Amino acid sequence: MNTLRIGFLRGNIEIKQFLRQKESVVFTLFFPLLLLVIFGSVFTQTIAPGVKLSQYFISGMIASGLINSGFQQLAINIPTERDNGALKRLRGTPMSPISFFIGKIILVFLTMLIQVFILLLVGGLFFHIRIPTESTIWLRFIWLVVLGSACSTVLGVAMAGIIKSGRGAPAVVTPIVLVLQFISGVFFQYDSLPSWMKQLAAIFPLKWLTQGMRSVFLPNSFAIREVAHSWELGRIALVLVAWLVAGTFLASRSFKWSRQ
Amino acid sequence: MSAAIEIHDLRKSYGKHEAVAGISLTIERGEIYAILGPNGAGKTTTVEILEGFRERDSGTVKVLDSDPGALGIHGSAWRNRIGIVLQSNSDAAELTVAETVHHFSHYYSKPKDPDSIIALVGLSEKRDARIRTLSGGQRRRLDVALGIVGSPEILFLDEPTTGFDPEARRAFWELILALKAEGTTILLTTHYLDEAEALADRVAVINAGKIIEIATPATLGGRHLAKATISWQEDGRVQRMISENPTRDVIELAARFTGEIPELIVTRPSLEDIYLTMIEGQK
């Protein structure tokens, strides 16, 4: 019980620290918004009756949002806290490591929610993004967000254990995310990519998360355009769970409280 | 009651370099114990093994009757009883002093009142300041506040006053002596000999991973037995005399002058002189 209570107190501290660092707020929250504005302004052509190309790209933007708030944020934030002594100081207190990770999960969850909310709001108001109304689609959206965020979070912690220094972290993490975005159907239409690129992307979770989000934002008739001619929701869940398990294992092995 | 800290034949190497080469010592409860030594002597490695941050190669270690290298699920209960002030940090820059001390107080089962701790370390005026705006000395006092907010039985202080101005150091010493008066055991590493002299009940001088001597500050290196130097002005120059019986020699000297002995100084070797001789002797 106490572990949970302190976990929520950690969450509060994490969020305070996040909101007070203007760079991280801009980087995490407004960068996706900026991309949405650019993409929404450029891709105005219609890809099916009543469906604009921007509807295709909002799926990728939201999937990317989950990667930003979990993987990218933690893989930079945790090595930084390791370098500045924050983690070592915490390790010297009776605080349970579980409380620490509850705090990080709260941070990821809140930044993720804000990103998704901003994207849907601005997309819906200014770029004619059609927001689903059916409850089954929303249910699908929720499990994709929860599973995707969980996966993104543990992979961020695992990556943080591999990265040597906080200062060098963005230089390692940002290109990984960028390349994944290019090959996973976030910046380009996935079906227009060369097949080797598609096969490479299919190893990583972002491709599957993006595909899942397409099943939320595009009409069912678009399923036929996917590689398997269906949304493959079962396989998406399977791949994400596999990455979640692998990521949890890696994170528990690689996590370090201090530099040496 | 058993000793607060017991170390026997502690060893730790980094590659071929033996950082700690067989240290044994016992620290009693309620004692202020200083570890002195040059940079690289093995002070921080030793202390970090005691704090549970580093693994040792061999030897036995007991801190509050537990082995810090094998805490397992008892780690949290053990850490509840100790306070750690590490060397320089720059974390939590965007939080305020009050937020941080209050937050850390929740980790402990018997915390002190966070506001009185903030007052005790002299940061009341800075309680709502962001930590990044604090000076080096204020930041260090915050580190101490976080180390003591859980009412620790043992407090580890690793070079606590580095970067303090003289006034802040005096204030800090008073704080440490107040903690000792409450019964806290304190293990201090420092470069400053005056600090060890002002605070410590006992000091251990270590160099190259080995203990050279353990003594009280007053008797270290036979300091209390050392000869005094008497100097004065006579015949237009400074005269010096090494004396085993300075009181008698000064009385004799006084007979040669009418009134004051010009520029009389009687000195004994300072702790620093003794320490430097000991470290030199090792080379």
Side-chain angles (χ1 to χ4, degrees), chain A residues 50-129:
Chain A
V51 183
K52 287 211 162 111
L53 189 52
S54 53
Q55 194 74 30
Y56 186 96
F57 285 107
I58 190 77
S59 319
M61 304 294 315
I62 288 186
S64 294
L66 307 190
I67 301 300
N68 284 339
S69 52
F71 178 76
Q72 192 163 4
Q73 179 171 224
L74 293 184
I76 294 171
N77 162 290
I78 292 176
T80 305
E81 290 190 336
R82 194 167 54 218
D83 282 2
N84 70 23
L87 299 188
K88 195 171 181 182
R89 191 202 294 281
L90 289 173
R91 190 69 192 124
T93 74
M95 179 208 71
S96 160
I98 296 167
S99 305
F100 173 79
F101 288 111
I102 290 173
K104 291 292 180 205
I105 289 167
I106 291 171
L107 173 67
V108 169
F109 201 70
L110 187 91
T111 48
M112 184 272 293
L113 278 184
I114 297 173
Q115 275 191 54
V116 169
F117 181 76
I118 291 176
L119 286 173
L120 291 182
L121 186 77
V122 176
L125 287 178
F126 301 103
F127 297 102
H128 312 290
I129 301 292

Side-chain angles (χ1 to χ4, degrees), chain B residues 239-253:
Chain B
Q239 310 285 338
R240 269 201 187 80
M241 172 188 197
I242 307 294
S243 166
E244 269 178 64
N245 301 297
T247 310
R248 195 192 64 204
D249 290 338
V250 169
I251 291 169
E252 280 177 13
L253 194 58

